[in-house]
Every structure is written in structure tokens, then in C-alpha cells.
């Protein structure tokens, strides 16, 4: 197993410090340093440590070795029509600040002095973690079986696992989770499955069974095409979107430069993610040998909670891109950020009063989050439970950090973890557990003021989301 060389810790610290002062580019590590390896740059690249990402104590983030010196590669995979660049512009959903919290109601936005780091920055604080980004932005409108997505990702995971002689942890957002399913199902050069190179997978809002919300949108457009007086303008819009989708698939260029449905509504990837599509039906399931943790957002609209009684919520929006049941499908562990809006209750009245007060306090204090507002640069929606905000929601982030930190604390050498691919009628064997002697102390949990999972609108199978007091 390749170990984190303790003799290089001081050198790495110095490199990081110089980068933070501007004397060196903030690339995180010098290319000649062993940690993290640059041997796999053909497939994925190390995530740089950003100068504006800080620890909870407002200190610069510095590389930290694990207790026994082993290194755990962590591969982060972005979603449909997005990209995998981690930089100070923070246009990647993984790079935005962790700055909001679900609470079973409308959620909260953090005060300015509480905002410290992105999800990537928090991953980089796990002892022994080497964080890598897989960027397939140029082909991100296509389906995950494209060789520039699934195949390339599989080779990257295999490369890292072999270089560190340790199983990887993989993290995906949205279609990135489906790309991971495709990658893990592929054979590697040593006669094992790529899944045998991975110990744990974590996804945020991945449409494991497709996205019914997209299906509803397509059906609404098709229905409007049948309405006289509306069919012509709707038909023109559909034609434009279709042509833009073809352009995105063919060239990787977006007509309007924003991605998402505007630029790729009818793209290869979008059509494949419809429930029951041939593509998603054929896609490999999560391997049994990999511990899979599914994290999801869940938004409900309409209803009341008054005088000790609560009505059924009227509209289930999922995370506004992926329906809830699909996002948690297949998860061995599940955690959910719960939000609701348009509820008649005392709590809603209280939140309204706090929103009025926030006009005067601004971001100096925590304030309620609406579904859409307050508008922020780089954010499409304000809700902590919205699809692209899930990596900014502290409850889900803490859950991810907990399970990833737990995994990273235990070395899993490939010689002990992998199994040769068996014939189809024999199945594949499950990797054995790592010896207890290799278990290192788990990293400390996030501070209480950032919200524990059971206090921030996060629901797990054993711990339901906090309910609004009927008197509120």
C-alpha cells in the first residue's frame, strides 16, 4: 500500500501556505509531490485547495495524513450539463459554499460569519483523503454509456486504486451517480470489476429509476401542442430546444450557455433519464459489494398545521428535478433534507416575520429560506432541499462526511479487498472487511452549530425528519 509520506507533510504544508499568500498558484499540491498522485491526470485531476475554503476555526485547509499513513482516493462526479472544475468562481455545484440548512419547514440560510467552506473543502479536511474531480463537461448532455463518461471514469477509479493500493470512495451528484453505476460495472485490467476497487458510494439527488418530474414536463409540452392557439408557440419552442439539444450532444456547446433544460432538454442524457427508458432499464444496479448511501432533497407544497392537526401535503416536488423515490432507490443508507412551503401554520407566520426582519439585518444573522428567494448569484433556487443545493445543505453534508470519514479511517488494500470476476452463473464475491488492526480513529464530527442530521430537517430510516410543532 502506498502511504502518505510523513516526511512530506511539512513540505506540503509550506506549499499550501505559499499558495494561500499568493506566492504560488492555488493548485493545492506541487506536481512532484507524491500526495496526491498525478499519475491519473489522463482521466481525472486532484481538486485544488481553495484559499477561500477554511476550516470551522477559520484556518487555512492543509493536507493531513491518516493515523497510519494510508491514503484514500475520493472521486467526485458532477451531474448532467454541469462540469467538474473546482475553482474560486465556484460554478460547480460541489464548489458552492455549505451555507444553508433544512429544518422540516422552509429552511435557513447561514449568517455570513458561519460560512466557511465548500463540500470539496470539507472533504479535503478528512485525514488521508486525496480528492479528485472527474470532469466530463464537454459531453455532459450525453448518456453515461458514452466512452468519455462511463469508460473513462472507470479507468480513472482503477488508476487511483492501483496507485494508492487502496479502495476508493466515490461521490456523485444527479446523473453523476448514474455514471458511477456504469463505471463500477465495467471490468478492470486485472480481471476484477471496477466495483471491487471501491468501498463506498455516496450520491446527492441521483435519479436511480429515472426522473418522473422530467417526464411530467415532456407530457405537459406534448399536451400543449394539442391546444389551438398555444400549439404554434409551444411547437416553436420545442423545435428550438430540440435543435439545441442536438448541438449539445454533437459538440458539447450550449445554445444559451446555461445548460440544463434550456440547452439540453431533448438531449441523449435527458431522454435516457426518463422512467422506464431502455437506457436506464439496462443500466447496471449498484453493486452489492459497495456500501451505497443515497442522499436526497424532499420538497412538499400546500397544506396546514393548526390546532394540533396537520393535513396531507398537496404537492410532492421531490428536489424539483428528481422525484424522491428515485433519489433514494437502492440506498443501503438513506438521509433526506425535508422542506415545505405554502403551509398555513404558526411556524410559517413566524418565518414570514423573520423574512421581514432580514431586510434590515441582511446576512448578519440566519434567515429563513424561501423556495425561490432570496435570489443569490450562482443559485437558481434558495431552498436547501433544491436539487443543485443539496451539497450546500449542512445536514446532508454532515452525513456524507461522517460515512466518508469512517471509510477513510480504515485502509482497504486491493489485495485483500478485491475478488476475481467469477463466471456469470457463479456470481461475484464480496470483498472481505479490512482487519481491525488497520482501523484508524474516525475524524471529529462537525460542530453542533452546523446542525446534526436529526436537527436539521434530515430524515433517516431510523430517525424521521423533525415535525413542526402543531401549535406552530
Amino acid at each position: 500500500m502506498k502511504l502518505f509520506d510523513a516526511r512530506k507533510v511539512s513540505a506540503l504544508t509550506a506549499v499550501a501556505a505559499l499558495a494561500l499568500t499568493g506566492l504560488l498558484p492555488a493548485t493545492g499540491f506541487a506536481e512532484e509531490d507524491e500526495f496526491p498522485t498525478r499519475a491519473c491526470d489522463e482521466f481525472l485531476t486532484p481538486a485544488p485547495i481553495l484559499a477561500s475554503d477554511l476550516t470551522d476555526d477559520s484556518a487555512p485547509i492543509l493536507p493531513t495524513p491518516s493515523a497510519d499513513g494510508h491514503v484514500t482516493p475520493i472521486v467526485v462526479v458532477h451531474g448532467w450539463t454541469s462540469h467538474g472544475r473546482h475553482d474560486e468562481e465556484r460554478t460547480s455545484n460541489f464548489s458552492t459554499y455549505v451555507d444553508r440548512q433544512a429544518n422540516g419547514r422552509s429552511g435557513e440560510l447561514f449568517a455570513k460569519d458561519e460560512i466557511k467552506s465548500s463540500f470539496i473543502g470539507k472533504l479535503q479536511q478528512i485525514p488521508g483523503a486525496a480528492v479528485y474531480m472527474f470532469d466530463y463537461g464537454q459531453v455532459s448532455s450525453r448518456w453515461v454509456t458514452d466512452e468519455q463518461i462511463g469508460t473513462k471514469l472507470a479507468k480513472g477509479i482503477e488508476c487511483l486504486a492501483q496507485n494508492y493500493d487502496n479502495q476508493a470512495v466515490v461521490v456523485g451528484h444527479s446523473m453523476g451517480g448514474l455514471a458511477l453505476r456504469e463505471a463500477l460495472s465495467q471490468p478492470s485490467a486485472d480481471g476484477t470489476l471496477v466495483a471491487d476497487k471501491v468501498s463506498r458510494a455516496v450520491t446527492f439527488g441521483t435519479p436511480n429509476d429515472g426522473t418522473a418530474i422530467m417526464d411530467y414536463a415532456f407530457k405537459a409540452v406534448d399536451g400543449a401542442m394539442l391546444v389551438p392557439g398555444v400549439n404554434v408557440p409551444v411547437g416553436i419552442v420545442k423545435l428550438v430546444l430540440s435543435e439545441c439539444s442536438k448541438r449539445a450532444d454533437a459538440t458539447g456547446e450550449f445554445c444559451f450557455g446555461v445548460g440544463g433544460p434550456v440547452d439540453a432538454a431533448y438531449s441523449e442524457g435527458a431522454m435516457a433519464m426518463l422512467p422506464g427508458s431502455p437506457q436506464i432499464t439496462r443500466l447496471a444496479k449498484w453493486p452489492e459489494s459497495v456500501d451505497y448511501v443515497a442522499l436526497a432533497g424532499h420538497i412538499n407544497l400546500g397544506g396546514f398545521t393548526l390546532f394540533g392537526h396537520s393535513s396531507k401535503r398537496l404537492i410532492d416536488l421531490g428536489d424539483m428535478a428528481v422525484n424522491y423515490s428515485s433519489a433514494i432507490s437502492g440506498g443501503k443508507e438513506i438521509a433526506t433534507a425535508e422542506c415545505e412551503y405554502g403551509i398555513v401554520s404558526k411556524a410559517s407566520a413566524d418565518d414570514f416575520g423573520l423574512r421581514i426582519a432580514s431586510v434590515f439585518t441582511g446576512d448578519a444573522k440566519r434567515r429563513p429560506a424561501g423556495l425561490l428567494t432570496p435570489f443569490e448569484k450562482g443559485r437558481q433556487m434558495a431552498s436547501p432541499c433544491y436539487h443543485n443545493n443539496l451539497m450546500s445543505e449542512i445536514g446532508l453534508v454532515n452525513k456524507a462526511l461522517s460515512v466518508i470519514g469512517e471509510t477513510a479511517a480504515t485502509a482497504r488494500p486491493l489485495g485483500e479487498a478485491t475478488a476475481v470476476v467469477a463466471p456469470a452463473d457463479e456470481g461475484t464475491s464480496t470483498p472481505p472487511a479490512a482487519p481491525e488492526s488497520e482501523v484508524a480513529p474516525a475524524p471529529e464530527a462537525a460542530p453542533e452549530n452546523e446542525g446534526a442530521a436529526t436537527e436539521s430537517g434530515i430524515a433517516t430510516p431510523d430517525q424521521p425528519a423533525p415535525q413542526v410543532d402543531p401549535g406552530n
Side-chain angles (χ1 to χ4, degrees), residues 41-44 76-79 82 84 133-157 175-176 178-180 182-183 186 248-252 268:
D41 279 10
E42 178 184 355
F43 311 110
L44 27 68
V76 178
V77 186
H78 65 82
S82 185
M133 307 289 289
F134 177 68
D135 186 2
Y136 63 100
Q138 279 298 106
V139 292
S140 61
S141 68
R142 300 179 192 172
W143 183 229
V144 298
T145 53
D146 187 280
E147 65 178 11
Q148 291 300 308
I149 304 177
T151 302
K152 186 176 180 180
L153 176 57
K155 291 178 179 178
I157 293 171
M175 196 177 80
L178 303 181
L180 284 167
E182 170 66 15
Q186 298 195 15
D249 285 341
T251 68
E268 180 184 324

Side-chain angles (χ1 to χ4, degrees), residues 445-471:
E448 286 187 11
N449 63 358
E450 291 193 341
T454 57
E455 296 175 349
S456 62
I458 304 301
T460 65
D462 299 322
Q463 176 65 50
Q467 299 298 312
V468 178
D469 187 335

Side-chain angles (χ1 to χ4, degrees), residues 1-4 35 37 40 66 68-75 127-130 132 156-170 194-200 404-418 432-435 438 440:
M1 169 176 291
K2 183 177 289 188
L3 301 180
F4 188 110
F35 179 81
T37 182
C40 306
S66 62
D68 63 2
H70 74 268
V71 177
T72 299
I74 301 174
V75 179
Y132 290 80
I157 293 171
E158 180 181 5
C159 179
L160 288 177
Q162 290 176 340
N163 271 273
Y164 289 115
D165 189 22
N166 198 17
Q167 285 184 303
V169 173
V170 294
V194 173
D196 293 319
K197 308 290 191 295
V198 172
S199 57
R200 176 161 269 166
I404 294 172
E406 176 186 286
T407 304
T410 306
R412 291 171 171 81
L414 294 185
E416 301 172 18
T418 59
E438 292 188 7

